[in-house]
Amino acid sequence: MSDDTTIQSVLSEDRVFDPPADFAQRSGGAWIESIEQYCELHAQSIADPEAFWGAVAEELHWFKHWEKVVEWQCPDARWFTGGKINACHNCVDRHVDNGFGDQPAIIWEGEPVGDEGPEIRTLTYADMQREVSRFANALKAQGVGRGDVVTLYMGMVPELAIAVLACARIGAPHSVIFGGFSAQSIVDRVEDASSKVVITCDGAWRRGSVVPLKANVDEALTITDVVEQVIVVKRCENDVTMQEGRDHWWHDVTASVEDECPCEEMDSEDMLFLLYTSGSTGKPKGIVHTTGGYLVHTFLTSRYTFNLRHHQDHVYWCTADVGWITGHSYIIYGIMQNGIPSLMYEGAPNHPGPDRFWDICQRHSVTHFYTAPTAIRAFMKWGEEHPRRHDLSKLQVLGTVGEPINPEAWMWYHRVIGHERCPIVDTWWQTETGGHMITPMPAATPTVPGSCTLPFLGIDTAVVDETGEEQPADTGGMLVVRKPWPSMLRGIHGDRQRFIDTYFSAVDGMYFAGDSARRDASGNFWIMGRMDDVINVSGHRLGTMEVESALVSHDAVVEAAVVGMPHEIKGTGIAAFCTLSGDWKPDDALIDTLRAHVAAEIGAIAKPDMIRFTDALPKTRSGKIMRRLLRDVAAGREAAGDMTTLEDFSVLAKLRSDED
Ligand code: WTA
């Protein structure tokens, strides 16, 4: 395999951006001030993880102190064993107890914009304590107790955060399903988790129309009989059918309950939540996260990666949906533990216009902004006049997550959104890792467009071959984590063997992330994509991402997806799907130009064998390009397998019909 993963050609990137000199001053200080300090701390944290993570855990509230920081017997990690803790207490009650009850915890903005602007709700920590306690009592009254999995299938409304924290308060693990998933996905997940209670909304606003969440739940419940109770938040006032005895309105069940509900003293290793994520094949995996370690890790990464500081008028906004791990860790748990106002926006980035995000940033004086490369590429396509119309001068740190960011998108983010004064934190991590694993420290790490740079403190990532041997600089290999970390997954719900096979079988004694990567001579990590996104052209391994970045670096191309396709001579050829910016014509001359451009950027080996122009790329609802479908299109095969997450089926139909 080491041969396979050797990169023959490397997209070269020599732009390096030092942290802005006035960063610490604009942010009221910095937790990690220099690269030297980072290096020293990182070395210490790896040499003595117990001392490092133990000191972080001391900052949280524990009902009972832990006995041991970590017990590790690969693949099983136990963190802060013997400790008793509650996640909701650390996100909410702790701040009220410390006298910050009147500070904003959640700032929520709805999607519809009326004559007086959008609806805005601000919930302080004291409000959250009251609302969460009320809903926790309502759950208890419905018979929900410690250990019962509660499913949340909701829009981005404050009740979603309230429900998440209410579950944590009473020790009932939550399983949040993204509101864009189908009825069948609900069935699969409630059955796998044996979840008897579903919390939903009548509907959710998305680009001006109502997503019928309750109707989807109804449909799911005609297929499965696992679910006994449904609680419904009234949001859009769309028509819904309420089934007597099974369905209850949120406002009814919370009407006559007490305002106070004690936090359950949970064992550090009790399950906090389940979150389903798709694997390369088969049904979605229920990733199990537990309490103490997850809290410690999300607390520290939120603080250091974003340089969040109390009483500095920070307003933090992560644009992800709570249905994904990013929303769990970096809208709710990590951010709220730090006592920083977390902005939640209900709807689409282009409703009512393509400047909605920038309008929000301006009106709420957003200081920390966290989004995904796919969104950034959309903003690029819509044009920089939209952000230019708004005052973005309060921004301090820009984050990105979810997929490798093309250097061109990075530069646009840096220039147009960050006005060249905001460090970009490109955070590599996964549902399974629970929190950030590789990321710059904004005041310390020199950043390079397209690289997620260096491992977080206490994290031992490496690029290795299948024997666990570290690869030399600029040589691709498997991305692994060699030491346990506090927020690592504890298993796949109900499937021990799949847990071992997926994560702990590729390299002995190490967690295998499923990604390929390389490190450059400065030690920076470059994620090349999922292992199955690496293509072997004439015996040379190429990261699809590198070819994509090369294409996108040409003015004509807005977004590109590259997959392998069968090729008589080369074994695998390169197929590229591109969306074009406004004034470019999709003709043969442009194909020649782009092939030459890629050859110039990377080398002749990377020249696409086929370039197809398209209006849009097929994406999952979380914005990831559906490469499996594109591979099928490139190979001229019928697309096979699970398509339930395809955002827009018409994109695929269009790509196909163009072939005819
Ligand atoms: C990819 C999202 C490059 C990667 C938090 C990983 C990234 C998968 C980055 C996890 C990044 C995430 N640079 N690739 N900064 N962040 N990825 O579980 O392939 O939805 O394995 O978690 O996204 O996706 P997941």
Side-chain angles (χ1 to χ4, degrees), residues 445-461:
T445 314
T447 49
V448 186
S451 167
C452 50
T453 72
L454 300 166
F456 191 78
L457 303 179
I459 303 297
D460 186 22
T461 44

Side-chain angles (χ1 to χ4, degrees), residues 277 324-326 400-405 426-432 438 452 513-515 527 529-530 622 624:
T277 183
W324 310 113
I325 189 68
T326 305
T400 151
V401 58
E403 51 178 320
I405 181 165
D426 177 356
T427 59
W428 178 84
W429 59 295
Q430 308 175 292
T431 305
E432 292 88 340
I438 309 180
C452 50
D515 283 352
I527 309 298
R530 304 293 302 182
S622 63
K624 291 195 167 66

Side-chain angles (χ1 to χ4, degrees), residues 469-486:
E469 200 54 40
E470 229 174 320
Q471 298 285 66
D474 285 329
T475 306
M478 293 181 275
L479 180 59
V480 295
V481 191
R482 294 184 291 203
K483 282 199 160 69
W485 66 99

Side-chain angles (χ1 to χ4, degrees), residues 194-222:
S194 309
S195 175
K196 295 188 185 136
V197 178
V198 174
I199 324 288
T200 189
C201 303
D202 51 359
W205 287 111
R206 187 81 194 167
R207 218 163 275 132
S209 37
V210 175
V211 181
L213 296 176
K214 174 62 165 64
N216 292 347
V217 171
D218 291 343
E219 189 188 335
L221 300 200
T222 62

